[in-house]
Amino acid sequence: MVDVLVTNGPMLIGIAAAFGFLMAWGIGANDVANAMGTSVGSNAITIKQAIIIAMIFEFSGAFLAGGEVTSTIRNGIIDAAYFTDVPEYLVFGMIGSLLAAGIWLVVASALGWPVSTTHSIIGAIIGFAAVGVSVDSVEWGKVVGIVGSWVVTPAISGFIAYTIFQSVQKLIFNTDDPLGNAKRYVPFYMALAGFVMSLVTITKGLKHVGLHFSTLEAYLLAGVIAFAVGVFGKVAISRLKMSEKADRQTQFGNVEKVFAILMVVTACCMAFAHGSNDVANAIGPLAAVVSVVESGGVIGSKSVLAWWILPLGAVGIVLGLALFGKRVMQTIGKNITHLTPSRGFAAELAAASTVVIASGTGLPISTTQTLVGAVLGVGMARGIAAINIGVVRNIVVSWVVTLPAGAGLSIIFFYIIKDIFS
């Protein structure tokens, strides 16, 4: 049967590349819209600006730092030993999974549901492996870990967001001089955002361009960058034109202006962190297909990423956001709870920090759930009445449906592709 791979190799790779692109497009439409939704929802930036920021930072995140998480998705969920005699099943299954997850993401995005791209692809891979090959071929222990992370991740990011927002309230909004305190403390928040962001770039991204740092060097470098960001923030804030003598309401408005600057920084962080974490969902299965086909059916434990795979994923993500991201942005940014720049900032910084913690431990978390958890955390800080429970319920239902939907579609496509080629 391996001759299937030899005779149809280029065609299989072509199909996988097309479906991988569809999947990346779906990630852009759904997930990146999450990452940018808070910034757009709090009116810190316009949709057009969000798309431009996302293009630059998602692309660089995916391209520079996307290689790390791909190995978890590629080699972690299913046991390759079950495919040694039937490598073409792995190829058919991964192609089917990409198509299944891609279609589900496009449907969810059209409905404005922020679902998890990570769940979509994992559900799809579990589906074809368990039904098409053997129930034992799925590493159920890993799956339990991933399911566990769905609860843990929103909880962590919600807690961090709650804490950050409470600190903002205490240090800035609930004081006699909100504006003065904003000028004093916001540079520290900026430095914190810079630190989180640069740490993920240094530890994850730069090794793909051949730069290696020890842990100590990474922290020191991140510290230097954080300091620079803080200083830059101080200068930028001092240049904002604001009347000092205004009443509290106007002062609050001015403070939000300061946070709007900060939102742009965190939006960039979030886009970069997202690109590095979630491009794996599109290119992991694609990389597996390419390596199996090119090796003539040998399933290696480490697949080498072909040079064209990361750019393909990165371009797909950017196009998906630009052409189709509006609806999910609306859900996250406007419909869960009313966001202002200070609330949005707390949510985004918390989500970015959680993504950093998770990528560091190699857990394929869902950026969506991280961000929804963070937005809920900020809403909670204002009391339960501030949250739109109906929207949250729909989001949770769409999360639960995602795994079975991905699995069901991928089983169907696996058998169709198998019939076509055998």
Side-chain angles (χ1 to χ4, degrees), residues 8-20:
N8 300 315
M11 187 171 165
L12 286 167
I13 290 181
I15 295 171
F19 293 167

Side-chain angles (χ1 to χ4, degrees), residues 28 31-63 197 259-276 314 317-319 321-322 329 348:
D31 263 18
V32 183
N34 298 334
M36 289 290 148
T38 43
S39 310
V40 175
S42 63
N43 299 324
I45 52 178
T46 63
I47 286 202
K48 194 180 259 167
Q49 288 165 331
I51 290 170
I52 293 167
I53 290 177
M55 281 177 165
I56 299 166
F57 285 90
E58 285 280 340
F59 189 89
S60 33
F63 192 65
M197 181 56 203
F259 274 101
I261 298 181
L262 204 44
M263 278 294 283
V264 179
V265 179
T266 50
C268 301
C269 299
M270 199 55 203
F272 186 93
H274 177 266
S276 67
I317 284 180
V318 166
L319 284 176
L321 170 81
M329 274 193 198
E348 278 199 352

Side-chain angles (χ1 to χ4, degrees), residues 11 27 31 34 78 88 93 95 128-129 153 165 173 182 190 199 206 215 221 259 283-284 295 325-326 345 349 359 417:
M11 187 171 165
I27 292 175
D31 263 18
N34 298 334
I78 47 180
E88 66 278 4
I95 292 174
F128 93 81
T153 320
F165 186 62
F173 286 106
M190 283 187 145
L199 197 59
L206 296 180
T215 313
L221 191 55
F259 274 101
I283 66 173
S295 63
K326 259 199 182 115
F345 159 71
L349 182 57
S359 325
I417 295 167

